[in-house]
């Protein structure tokens, strides 16, 4: 896809264009926010406590001494202050970067896992796994899970057993037992079903409680627990694409499996994946906000949209802007992502390009 | 003439079938293609033509299995090669053109990208090739297959081209690496009659110009004299007649070939309009799988149930291939 054509297309679709503008706007804001609020002496300090200025409404003029000491835009608190007199504008800016990066990184992880697992399941789906291979794969997976959840020695033992039995399955004794047991597709899809069984927010809560609180852990946890939808999408698309003539033709031209999967099939399947990814960014931002709201997100001095919201809930009637501002911002971002996602789906469809 | 492809005693059957039964899809097929020769494989749908082609490429559908036989390509048995060696041969030594040009090009990649893939897949090991060089080769390929404005067409998506143009692109992709054998599986069936002839001429011209061999699969016997040097007529997985194409079309020996020929509509003769449909006992009987005759008694001639000149011995015993000069026929009528 060339940029010019995509731009032309999105100009004709004003809803998508609006989504794109808002999306770029928020991207800019989050980068700007990072630059303005980082370091020990930031331009706008989100951590500065001014007890004499607490719960000021938006656009309120700051007191003369505050203006004398600090640089505030127009000498006002643009979005008011919270119960500790911290500038909500600065806090929202700082939170924007967290929210956006959580959204993108976690969705990046989930799309990557989803595309790979869904692709394997769809393309190699009808190959068979023998009993021994199946068991050793289970051992390997169990071992890796144990290693991650800090039971190192048992985990290492299990995964070593798994690797050894994988290596030994070619020997004559085990080969006899290695009969066809389950096909790749069912195996992977059952794992997906198992993952889908857990209510994902509670799964995330559990993992976040076990792991030390850090923004990177949250990104990884959200990513690792939300790839199932993408995997099913990609699998379904690949199942249909695999039977099409152009895939057969690509095989007949002697292209390797990797080429066929990534050059020929993935671009055909990427439309719904992109849409679900943009929706995923929105829901990841919501999950992060939810975690912060419950006090399990990014640790406190650092502001995120979720913990601004949760701090504000105590003053819902006295200072409603404390909840409305982050709430509306989250809604706007999610909306812009959804609109842009819809437009993106049309952009990757070459039939809509004249 | 030197042999390029030799299929010897190829038997293809269903995966679940008993070994005792006779293979239902392709039975004891012998086929030979010499260098720079074009050979036609004719038969009604479901007779095993396409399956034969796919078995040469090593891409049989999952439910089918090759029971026995050899497919020798330049003396090497394709059935014994592993996936990697097969992949090297596909596209560069043997390539294939499909019936449906509408669905055999990837809708999201440009023509140029798809052509380039062919070169990139096979030229990797050798000397590094420049992007510019590949681009030039793509352009000259598209010019060879007669696409107007080849440079602009490289940037076109498949949906921007007509059916005939897409089939030309498919031919270009098949010809890209000068393969020794091209298998064309009903390449003109999905096309307009006028375009059909153009594509046929193009294919024939390229085949003669580049001195490669052609296996042309069709159900239209009227195309055969234009394209093939020799023709094989196939029915229910069996070769029924074989010989130089002009002779077979002008004086068919097997009743089935005659029936096929009488099914061709010839607008110039007044009788042609009333061309007979192929005689089949019921609608299902032209499908290989529900051939009651073959399943039960198993031994008679496969055409016996619909043959106009059927005799008692046809139902008892299947005839072998009778050889006379350069023609072969599988029918009791021609047993001396």
């Amino acid at each position: 896809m060339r940029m010019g054509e995509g731009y032309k297309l999105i100009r004709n679709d004003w809803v998508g264009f609006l989504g794109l503008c808002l999306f770029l706007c928020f991207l800019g804001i989050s980068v700007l926010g990072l630059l303005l609020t980082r370091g020990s002496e930031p331009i706008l300090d989100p951590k500065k406590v001014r007890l004499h200025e607490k719960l000021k409404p938006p656009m309120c003029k700051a007191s003369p001494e505050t203006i004398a000491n600090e640089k505030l835009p127009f000498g006002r608190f643009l979005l008011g202050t919270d119960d500790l007199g911290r500038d909500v504008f600065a806090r929202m800016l700082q939170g924007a970067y967290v929210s956006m990066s959580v959204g993108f990184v976690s969705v990046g992880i989930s799309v990557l896992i989803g595309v790979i697992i869904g692709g394997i399941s769809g393309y190699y789906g009808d190959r068979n796994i023998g009993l021994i291979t199946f068991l050793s794969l289970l051992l390997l997976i169990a071992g890796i899970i144990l290693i991650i959840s800090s039971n190192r020695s048992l985990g290492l033992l299990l995964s070593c057993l798994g690797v050894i039995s994988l290596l030994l399955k070619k020997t004559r004794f085990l080969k006899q037992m290695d009969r066809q047991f389950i096909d790749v597709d069912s195996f992977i899809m059952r794992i997906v079903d198992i993952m889908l069984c857990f209510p994902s927010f509670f799964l995330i809560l559990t993992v976040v409680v076990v792991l030390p609180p850090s923004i990177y852990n949250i990104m990884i946890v959200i990513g690792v627990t939300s790839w199932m939808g993408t995997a099913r999408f990609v699998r379904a698309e690949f199942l249909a694409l695999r039977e099409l003539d152009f895939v057969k033709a690509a095989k007949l031209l002697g292209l390797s499996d990797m080429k066929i999967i990534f050059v020929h099939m993935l671009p055909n399947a990427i439309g719904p994946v992109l849409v679900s990814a943009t929706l995923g960014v929105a829901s990841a931002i919501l999950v992060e906000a939810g975690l912060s709201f419950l006090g399990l997100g990014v640790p406190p001095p650092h502001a995120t949209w979720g913990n601004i919201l949760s701090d504000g809930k105590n003053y819902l009637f006295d200072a409603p802007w404390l909840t409305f501002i982050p709430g509306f911002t989250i809604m706007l971002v999610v909306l812009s992502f959804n609109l842009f996602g819809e437009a993106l789906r049309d952009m990757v469809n070459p039939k809509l390009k004249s | 003439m030197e042999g390029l492809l030799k299929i010897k005693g190829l038997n293809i059957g269903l995966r679940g079938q008993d070994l005792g039964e006779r293979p239902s899809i392709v039975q004891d097929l012998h086929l030979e293609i010499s260098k720079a020769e074009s050979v036609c494989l004719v038969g009604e749908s479901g007779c095993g033509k396409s399956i034969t082609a796919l078995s040469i490429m090593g891409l049989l559908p999952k439910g089918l299995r090759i029971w026995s036989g050899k497919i020798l390509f330049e003396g090497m048995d394709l059935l014994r090669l592993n996936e990697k060696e097969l992949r090297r041969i596909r596209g560069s030594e043997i390539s294939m053109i499909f019936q449906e040009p509408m669905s055999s090009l990837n809708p999201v990649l440009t023509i140029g990208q798809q052509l380039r893939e062919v070169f990139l897949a096979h030229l990797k090991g050798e000397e590094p090739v420049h992007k510019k060089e590949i681009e030039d080769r793509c352009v000259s390929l598209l010019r060879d297959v007669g696409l107007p404005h080849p440079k602009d067409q490289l940037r076109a998506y498949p949906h921007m081209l007509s059916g005939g143009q897409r089939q030309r692109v498919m031919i270009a992709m098949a010809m890209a690496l000068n393969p020794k054998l091209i298998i064309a599986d009903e390449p003109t069936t999905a096309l307009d009659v006028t375009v059909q002839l153009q594509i046929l001429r193009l294919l024939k011209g390229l085949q003669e110009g580049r001195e490669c061999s052609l296996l042309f699969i069709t159900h239209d016997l009227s195309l055969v004299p234009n394209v093939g040097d020799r023709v094989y007529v196939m029915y229910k997985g069996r070769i029924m007649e074989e010989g130089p194409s002009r002779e077979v079309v002008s004086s068919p020996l097997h009743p089935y070939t005659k029936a096929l020929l009488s099914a061709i509509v010839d607008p110039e003769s007044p009788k042609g309009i009333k061309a007979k449909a192929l005689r089949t006992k019921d609608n299902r009987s032209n499908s290989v799988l529900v051939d009651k005759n073959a399943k039960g008694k198993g031994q008679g001639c496969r055409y016996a149930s619909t043959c106009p000149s059927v005799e008692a011995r046809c139902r008892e015993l299947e005839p072998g291939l009778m050889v006379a000069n350069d023609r072969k026929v599988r029918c009791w009528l021609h047993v001396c």
Side-chain angles (χ1 to χ4, degrees):
Chain A
M1 188 182 67
R2 289 190 296 286
M3 287 310 284
E5 285 172 4
Y7 178 72
K8 239 186 248 164
L9 248 158
I10 203 163
R11 275 308 297 273
N12 294 331
D13 172 15
W14 69 269
V15 178
F17 189 62
L18 187 76
L20 176 68
C21 287
L22 274 175
F23 167 68
L24 290 178
C25 212
F26 278 111
L27 266 189
I29 287 174
S30 63
V31 174
L32 198 73
L34 181 71
L35 293 177
L36 287 177
T37 59
R38 71 191 297 186
S40 54
E41 278 188 21
I43 301 167
L44 288 166
D45 192 350
K47 288 187 209 110
K48 174 88 175 166
V49 176
R50 317 172 187 84
L51 285 175
H52 57 287
E53 308 238 35
K54 67 179 184 181
L55 297 180
K56 288 272 171 77
M59 299 309 288
C60 169
K61 254 201 171 128
S63 63
E65 51 192 297
T66 317
I67 295 175
N69 290 338
E70 305 172 39
K71 281 177 272 172
L72 285 175
F74 314 115
R76 288 164 191 272
F77 294 113
L78 287 180
L79 299 175
T81 59
D82 66 0
D83 55 324
L84 294 173
R86 293 178 294 192
D87 185 2
V88 176
F89 182 61
R91 284 171 65 75
M92 286 298 291
L93 277 181
Q94 192 184 30
Y97 178 73
V98 175
S99 293
M100 296 299 245
S101 58
V102 165
F104 279 106
V105 174
S106 59
V107 165
I109 293 172
S110 83
V111 166
L112 198 70
I113 301 177
V115 164
I116 291 174
I117 289 188
I120 292 174
S121 176
Y123 191 79
Y124 296 110
D126 42 15
R127 304 218 175 161
N128 279 302
I129 308 180
L131 185 60
I132 299 295
T133 324
F134 176 70
L135 287 180
S136 44
L137 276 178
L138 275 191
L139 276 178
L140 201 65
I141 292 172
I144 290 170
I145 290 174
L146 278 177
I147 289 176
I148 292 172
S149 61
S150 72
N151 196 339
R152 290 265 150 82
S153 49
L154 189 60
L156 267 179
L157 183 72
L158 284 187
S159 45
C160 278
L161 265 178
V163 171
I164 290 172
S165 57
L166 268 183
L167 290 178
L168 284 182
K169 71 169 182 175
K170 285 276 185 275
T171 57
R172 210 193 323 158
F173 172 66
L174 285 178
K175 207 171 186 176
Q176 278 181 345
M177 290 172 65
D178 200 23
R179 256 176 264 131
Q180 294 180 355
F181 179 65
I182 189 171
D183 56 281
V184 176
D185 187 40
S186 322
F187 179 55
I188 291 178
M189 281 300 118
R190 293 303 80 76
I191 291 179
V192 168
D193 287 345
I194 292 170
M195 290 293 288
L196 280 171
C197 278
F198 299 111
S200 64
F201 193 76
F202 291 97
L203 187 64
I204 294 170
L205 272 184
T206 319
V207 179
V208 165
V209 170
V210 172
L211 293 178
S214 124
I215 182 168
Y216 302 104
N217 282 338
I218 288 174
M219 290 175 189
I220 294 170
V221 167
I222 294 178
V224 169
T225 52
S226 61
W227 51 268
M228 292 82 75
T230 317
R232 295 183 112 181
F233 265 133
V234 174
R235 167 186 173 264
E237 291 282 325
F238 268 39
L239 279 182
L241 287 170
R242 194 177 65 181
E243 304 300 327
L244 289 187
D245 273 353
F246 69 82
V247 174
K248 228 189 271 171
K251 259 184 215 165
L252 288 175
L253 287 169
L255 267 55
S256 63
D257 282 356
M258 287 298 122
K259 272 254 163 92
I260 292 174
I261 291 178
F262 288 107
V263 180
H264 282 271
M265 288 169 84
L266 197 54
N268 278 289
I270 207 73
V273 173
L274 274 180
V275 175
S276 81
T278 49
L279 296 180
V281 170
S283 74
I285 290 175
L286 284 179
V287 168
E288 188 277 326
L291 283 175
S292 300
F293 184 83
L294 293 174
L296 291 167
V298 181
H302 203 287
T304 71
W305 293 349
N307 64 26
I308 298 172
L309 194 71
S310 84
D311 288 348
K313 73 174 186 296
N314 299 329
Y315 305 93
L316 194 59
F317 294 105
D318 305 322
W321 60 89
L322 286 183
T323 40
F324 278 120
I325 288 168
F328 269 118
T329 319
I330 291 171
M331 191 200 79
L332 261 183
V333 172
V334 171
L335 186 71
S336 75
F337 270 87
N338 288 356
L339 295 180
F340 178 56
E342 293 277 304
L344 201 60
R345 191 191 48 194
D346 294 344
M347 277 162 69
V348 292
N349 185 352
K351 288 204 178 144
L352 290 176
K353 293 174 208 156
S354 55
Chain B
M1 272 198 279
E2 220 176 324
L4 179 73
L5 182 85
K6 260 186 199 164
I7 302 182
K8 284 183 182 169
L10 185 69
N11 283 304
I12 301 175
L14 293 175
R15 209 165 261 279
Q17 216 173 7
D18 284 336
L19 275 169
E21 278 178 77
R22 68 176 183 186
S24 52
I25 312 294
V26 171
Q27 193 186 1
D28 196 26
L29 179 115
H30 291 266
L31 195 144
E32 266 187 61
I33 302 174
S34 310
K35 276 192 179 139
E37 185 192 28
S38 67
V39 169
C40 287
L41 188 57
V42 187
E44 61 195 46
S45 51
C47 73
K49 317 172 292 241
S50 301
I51 293 301
T52 308
L54 287 177
S55 70
I56 299 171
M57 303 298 285
L59 282 174
L60 274 184
K62 299 246 157 57
L64 302 183
R65 199 169 57 112
I66 293 177
W67 283 5
S68 59
K70 279 180 182 166
I71 299 179
L72 298 170
F73 180 75
E74 296 188 307
M76 117 185 101
D77 192 351
L78 293 182
L79 298 179
R80 283 165 191 272
L81 296 184
N82 62 27
E83 189 60 23
K84 209 173 172 186
E85 291 163 319
L86 268 178
R87 199 181 295 145
R88 202 185 52 74
I89 287 178
R90 286 178 203 150
S92 64
E93 309 261 326
I94 308 177
S95 64
M96 191 159 166
I97 301 165
F98 278 126
Q99 178 177 352
E100 274 289 334
M102 295 294 170
S103 60
S104 38
L105 287 169
N106 191 338
V108 300
L109 298 181
T110 60
I111 303 303
Q113 283 168 322
Q114 298 189 47
L115 266 175
R116 220 168 293 141
E117 281 300 317
V118 185
F119 288 114
L120 291 179
H122 289 285
L123 295 178
K124 215 183 269 167
E126 297 155 32
E127 79 276 20
V129 247
H130 292 288
K131 251 186 163 177
K132 184 85 186 76
E133 198 181 321
I134 291 182
E135 176 108 13
D136 289 343
R137 285 175 78 169
C138 290
V139 170
S140 73
L141 260 175
L142 289 185
R143 193 174 295 129
D144 287 350
V145 295
L147 270 186
H149 314 297
K151 258 198 178 142
D152 302 329
Q153 300 287 21
L154 281 182
R155 276 194 295 279
Y157 286 94
H159 67 90
M160 299 169 171
L161 305 181
S162 70
Q165 284 173 320
R166 281 188 227 185
Q167 196 60 294
R168 284 172 197 266
V169 173
M170 283 308 291
I171 293 174
M173 281 167 78
M175 295 277 183
L177 294 158
N178 285 327
K180 293 178 184 129
L181 173 65
I182 294 171
I183 301 172
D185 188 358
E186 308 209 18
T188 57
T189 310
L191 300 174
D192 209 304
V193 184
T194 46
V195 183
Q196 234 176 45
L197 198 64
Q198 292 172 6
I199 295 288
L200 275 185
R201 285 199 185 124
L202 171 71
L203 204 55
K204 189 75 187 139
L206 283 174
Q207 180 248 328
E208 276 162 5
R210 302 195 176 201
E211 293 192 333
C212 55
S213 307
L214 177 70
L215 177 61
F216 189 85
I217 297 173
T218 180
H219 56 243
D220 190 351
L221 208 52
S222 66
L223 299 176
V224 167
N226 298 326
V227 182
D229 302 331
R230 280 187 310 120
V231 60
Y232 289 81
V233 180
M234 210 170 167
Y235 180 73
K236 290 190 184 176
R238 271 287 204 193
I239 295 290
M240 288 302 190
E241 186 167 356
E242 171 194 340
S245 49
R246 274 171 214 290
E247 285 178 39
V248 170
V249 172
S250 59
S251 58
L253 294 178
H254 199 283
Y256 178 65
T257 319
K258 286 178 194 157
L260 265 185
L261 274 169
S262 69
I264 298 169
V265 181
D266 182 3
E268 281 174 23
S269 79
K271 269 197 253 162
I273 311 289
K274 285 182 253 155
K276 282 177 264 170
L278 276 188
R279 268 179 56 162
T280 45
K281 238 183 177 177
D282 58 68
N283 289 337
R284 289 178 306 165
S285 69
N286 63 346
S287 142
V288 180
L289 297 177
V290 285
D291 182 2
K292 293 169 211 149
N293 224 31
K295 241 183 197 171
K297 294 154 240 164
Q299 297 309 319
C301 171
R302 299 195 162 201
Y303 193 51
S305 57
T306 36
C307 185
S309 41
V310 61
E311 297 167 27
R313 55 180 171 174
C314 298
R315 301 193 198 276
E316 310 273 295
L317 206 65
E318 185 169 28
L321 267 181
M322 320 293 158
V323 187
N325 297 330
D326 47 359
R327 297 185 65 172
K328 289 178 188 168
V329 63
R330 188 189 296 280
C331 186
W332 286 119
L333 288 176
H334 302 281
V335 177
C336 311

